[in-house]
Amino acid sequence: MRVHIATDHAGMELSAHLITALSANGYEMVDHGPDTYDAEDDYPAFCIKAALAVVADQAAGVDALGIVLGGSGNGEQIAANKVQGVRAALAWNLDTAKLAREHNNANVVAVGGRQHTVEEATELIEAFLAEPFSNAERHERRIGKIATYEATGEVAE
């Protein structure tokens, strides 16, 4: 699986750790930055680029997911979710990480690097990456309604 990862200055250590650890576990890691530490950097560009790459890969039939990191993960999740086709979920415990995939077929996970130890964050992300989508009809229906709104602006009841 290809995994696109992006962060801001608050998640750089976690990002470097994840790139090494996940690569060792067989994931093809693609780093969308930043390349150097800058306490004044702005996360949206990094996260949007990673999200765009996930959508492009998935459209091309590539098995791909994304990771966006920051201090809280909130802004990074919001930025990623502005990309059409992205379903980014903030994971703060194992249940939210797994359910994001199982019920919502999330394709990007957001984690707050200042909210967890490196070990905890790694466990959340590994759980997210390993969890399959359930393909349950009710979940497919709900995701379809979100996609319809995203594409047309129409709210499906």
Side-chain angles (χ1 to χ4, degrees):
M1 175 186 294
R2 184 175 297 157
V3 178
H4 296 274
I5 189 168
T7 188
D8 69 356
H9 59 278
M12 284 194 74
E13 286 184 32
L14 178 56
S15 180
H17 165 78
L18 289 168
I19 289 168
T20 300
L22 295 174
S23 292
N25 289 338
Y27 292 99
E28 177 190 347
M29 300 301 296
V30 181
D31 187 1
H32 293 272
D35 295 327
T36 58
Y37 181 86
D38 176 358
E40 296 295 317
D41 66 7
D42 295 325
Y43 59 82
F46 305 123
C47 295
I48 290 169
K49 288 176 185 177
L52 287 167
V54 169
V55 170
D57 273 354
Q58 289 181 336
V62 175
D63 187 20
L65 293 172
I67 302 166
V68 293
L69 307 168
S72 70
N74 284 311
E76 295 75 19
Q77 175 199 27
I78 292 167
N81 274 320
K82 297 303 178 185
V83 174
Q84 189 171 2
V86 166
R87 290 175 306 284
L90 180 65
W92 65 90
N93 62 29
L94 282 175
D95 284 340
T96 59
K98 291 177 182 179
L99 289 171
R101 292 282 305 132
E102 182 184 348
H103 289 187
N104 308 110
N105 201 15
N107 51 7
V108 174
V109 64
V111 173
R114 293 181 176 155
Q115 310 306 310
H116 307 279
T117 65
V118 169
E119 293 78 18
E120 290 169 344
T122 302
E123 185 179 24
L124 294 176
I125 289 165
E126 287 175 337
F128 174 86
L129 295 175
E131 189 69 30
F133 176 52
S134 71
N135 291 302
E137 186 279 330
R138 72 181 195 273
H139 299 308
E140 288 183 356
R141 181 180 69 245
R142 294 166 185 161
I143 293 165
K145 289 180 178 187
I146 295 167
T148 296
Y149 175 77
E150 186 177 52
T152 68
E154 294 179 24
V155 178
E157 298 282 332

